[in-house]
Amino acid sequence: MCLTGVDYFSTLGYQPGIAFLAAGVLSPIATFVLVLVTLFAALPLYSRVAGVSPNGQGSIAMLEKLFPKWGGKAFVLILLGFASTDFIITMTLSAADAAAHFIHNPYAPHWLSSQMLVTLLLLALLSAIFLKGFKEAIGIAVVLVGVYLALNAVVTVVALDALFHHPEALPAWKHAVFAQHTNVLGMFGMALLLFPKLALGLSGFETGVAVMPLIAGNDIKERVRNTRKLLSTAAIVMSVFLMSTSIVTTMLIPAKAFAEGGEANGRAMAYLAHQYLGNGFGTLYDISTILILAFAGASAMAGLLNLIPRYLPRFGMAPEWALASRPLVLVFMATAIFVTIAFHADVDAQGGAYATGVLVLITSAAFAVTLHVWANKVLRVAFVLITAIFVYTTGLNIYERPEGIKISSFFILAIILTSILSRALRSTELRISKVILLPAAVALLGDDEDQTIRLIARSPKDEDDKHCIRELDALDAFVRERYGMDPTECLYFLEVDRTDASEFEHSLSIDGRQVGSHRILCASSPVVANSIAALLIHLEKQTGRTPHAYFKWKEGNPVMNVIRFIFLGEGDTAPLTHEVLRRAIKNPSRRPIIHVS
């Protein structure tokens, strides 16, 4: 919960200020709407997501199953772009806000007065922690969240006591509210319109699901149950703090202090800590806030380290080193540094992108859960309503802050381009994780006395046995004549039926059948050339003899054949099979032989 909380709870550092800038004196009412959405929309939504994705796949995995083949992969890449926006901006925005708290503290050293420099130092510290080890990051998160929430509780209680001793504050606030809005209905209507600007307060839910593999449980059901406890506890704690901090900051801090350059801008609770508890306690609060904001990137980093390796390497859209944590940490940190420099470490400039990433992920989760519960009429109505709320919120946020979708588009484009490049570079990897010879295939291969297996590649066709035998007779005669084979030499036809070409890794099962006097080995696979290569390598290992494969040249443009191979799993099979064998078997003397005519 604390690893998730360094993202979720740390928003208390800037959420009250954002709420006041967005809603003014309506801030407590607008925050109350945020709390209602948190408890009665986001929490039920992600409780369902946790039940469907116990290994931390999140809503992205749910949506992947709804779209077949390349459509599902493209949809996942787009959502990963938004997720990357959310997590990377979490790191950069939180570090920038931590830097703002640091440089505004009266005891901050003069040589560290640059917000950009402090932000980059904090990002470097976060990177070092994850390079050291993941357990260390969790331990630090527990301490930081515990201290931070305790200090916030002290400041909140003292501020509420100050309100109690200033009875004129509440009537003054009510007068200001009713001066702008004559009735309660109008107030809530305006609060609903302003809600998208407060949506950063929902930032912890996707991360809470992403860290599910770290949650203890004797079985899947217990892990899901414990995750729901985590989400519920975090949501209730955050809701209490959101409401109380919104009330005290709105009623005790002058409006001009929230403005850009004001003492409470981005640090409303820190302002109250200094005012009511002195600079000593205020500095302690600043240190705690700086550390938790700087470390808020830890939960984002944890989410990225769980999310990216789960999808891109499996799709063949990232190199194999992307399965390791430390290289990925360096990649993510380099990206975070670039974003920080591009936005001049400005918190407000990154807010739109942050909200866009958060809201798109929540909206996609709402859509996935709605489809998942569609058969239940009561749940269907409830989640359709929840989906509508988040569609409205996301749409309005994008309309009012279009820079968010622009930044997300950059991440999406970067992921798609690097994924395509990686898929192309990895297309001639062996890719077949295991070859299984079924009993019928084993029996047919046993017919070859010298065990020098010779395969003739043939495209699968739907035809009757009579026509099939004629074509097989012709192919058999052509190969024997072309390569001067003895009539008694045992030949096998190999047919690979292409399945979903968007899949990358595959386990290959080889079956066998006999048509007339001809022996046919059959298989199904996303990619033809790699499957043939895998079977040849398997046969060489089993027999100790070099197998041979016979192909015809493929007609057509060679560039188009390569594109067809990358995206459709087929193309000019002969040279592609040879390239797969060349990459997989470094010793040419043990490499199966490819014949082309």
Side-chain angles (χ1 to χ4, degrees), residues 403-570:
E403 71 275 7
I405 198 70
K406 293 176 183 177
I407 298 167
S408 297
S409 299
F410 168 78
F411 278 98
I412 292 168
L413 183 62
I415 284 179
I416 289 175
L417 290 179
T418 55
S419 296
I420 292 173
L421 178 62
S422 177
R423 181 84 181 209
L425 293 174
R426 296 189 64 191
S427 59
T428 53
E429 287 182 10
L430 191 58
R431 290 171 57 176
I432 303 300
S433 57
K434 187 177 182 181
V435 176
I436 303 169
L437 296 177
L438 299 177
V442 173
L444 289 177
L445 290 168
D447 293 343
D448 193 338
E449 294 181 359
D450 63 8
Q451 286 294 283
T452 301
I453 307 299
R454 301 177 185 273
L455 304 177
I456 302 173
R458 176 179 182 266
S459 298
K461 297 176 183 177
D462 294 326
E463 56 194 3
D464 58 72
D465 283 352
K466 186 176 180 181
H467 185 275
C468 179
I469 290 172
R470 286 200 301 268
E471 182 178 336
L472 294 174
D473 286 342
L475 283 173
D476 184 281
F478 173 80
V479 170
R480 290 180 189 277
E481 181 182 353
R482 184 62 179 263
Y483 295 100
M485 292 183 191
D486 188 276
T488 60
E489 182 67 47
C490 191
L491 294 180
Y492 297 88
F493 290 92
L494 175 61
E495 298 179 352
V496 180
D497 189 22
R498 186 173 56 81
T499 56
D500 180 5
S502 68
E503 293 297 326
F504 191 72
E505 294 185 350
H506 183 69
S507 177
L508 189 68
S509 297
I510 306 295
D511 204 352
R513 62 190 174 94
Q514 191 147 350
V515 178
S517 61
H518 302 288
R519 304 169 184 86
I520 302 177
L521 301 176
C522 335
S524 296
S525 173
V527 60
V528 175
N530 307 62
S531 299
I532 296 174
L535 176 59
L536 292 171
I537 292 170
H538 183 78
L539 292 173
E540 192 275 337
K541 289 179 179 178
Q542 276 207 329
T543 63
R545 295 180 176 273
T546 304
H548 297 250
Y550 302 87
F551 297 85
K552 287 179 64 177
W553 284 113
K554 180 81 172 181
E555 298 294 333
N557 187 300
V559 176
M560 291 304 299
N561 280 332
V562 171
I563 293 174
R564 286 173 60 82
F565 172 66
I566 293 172
F567 293 103
L568 301 178
E570 58 184 15

Side-chain angles (χ1 to χ4, degrees), residues 121-391:
L121 288 174
L122 291 173
L123 288 172
L125 177 62
L126 176 66
S127 176
I129 290 170
F130 270 86
L131 289 174
K132 171 67 176 174
F134 197 69
K135 289 183 178 179
E136 286 79 359
I138 297 175
I140 293 171
V142 172
V143 174
L144 290 180
V145 169
V147 171
Y148 182 69
L149 290 182
L151 292 176
N152 268 284
V154 171
V155 176
T156 303
V157 169
V158 169
L160 288 171
D161 181 67
L163 270 180
F164 179 77
H165 287 91
H166 292 81
E168 73 281 358
L170 181 58
W173 173 75
K174 288 175 65 177
H175 177 74
V177 170
F178 280 100
Q180 295 181 10
H181 307 280
T182 56
N183 59 73
V184 175
L185 189 61
M187 296 175 195
F188 276 93
M190 181 57 66
L192 287 171
L193 292 174
L194 294 170
F195 169 69
K197 295 182 179 180
L198 279 67
L200 293 183
L202 297 169
S203 63
F205 284 97
E206 191 72 31
T207 315
V209 175
V211 299
M212 280 189 74
L214 301 173
I215 297 172
N218 295 323
D219 52 30
I220 294 297
K221 288 183 178 179
E222 188 174 353
R223 179 188 293 176
V224 170
R225 195 160 52 245
N226 289 339
T227 301
R228 287 171 174 164
K229 290 179 184 177
L230 179 155
L231 294 172
S232 300
T233 305
I236 292 168
V237 169
M238 186 62 171
S239 296
V240 171
F241 273 108
L242 281 172
M243 278 308 308
S244 55
T245 57
S246 175
I247 290 169
V248 297
T249 54
T250 301
M251 296 185 187
L252 293 177
I253 299 177
K256 62 180 181 180
F258 286 104
E260 186 175 354
E263 294 180 44
N265 182 252
R267 53 187 301 274
M269 291 300 291
Y271 177 94
L272 293 179
H274 281 273
Q275 181 174 352
Y276 290 101
L277 292 161
N279 284 338
F281 185 91
T283 298
L284 179 63
Y285 183 87
D286 280 339
I287 292 171
S288 175
T289 305
I290 289 165
L291 290 175
I292 195 171
L293 282 168
F295 208 68
S299 62
M301 182 75 82
L304 283 169
L305 292 175
N306 178 63
L307 202 60
I308 298 299
R310 190 177 294 278
Y311 291 100
L312 295 186
R314 176 165 61 88
F315 294 172
M317 293 177 174
E320 288 188 344
W321 56 258
L323 291 168
S325 295
R326 285 182 173 84
L328 277 182
V329 168
L330 296 176
V331 171
F332 297 148
M333 196 50 59
T335 306
I337 290 171
F338 172 79
V339 169
T340 297
I341 295 172
F343 286 96
H344 309 290
D346 189 331
V347 176
D348 295 333
Q350 299 175 70
Y354 187 22
T356 298
V358 170
L359 289 172
V360 168
L361 286 179
I362 294 179
T363 303
S364 67
F367 179 68
V369 171
T370 301
L371 293 178
H372 181 71
V373 302
W374 193 259
N376 187 313
K377 292 183 179 180
V378 176
L379 291 177
R380 182 200 308 172
V381 172
F383 283 103
V384 164
L385 179 59
I386 290 173
T387 303
I389 292 171
F390 287 118
V391 167

Side-chain angles (χ1 to χ4, degrees), residues 55-67:
N55 294 314
Q57 307 97 317
S59 57
I60 295 177
M62 296 175 66
L63 288 167
E64 181 190 3
K65 298 174 183 177
L66 300 175
F67 297 92

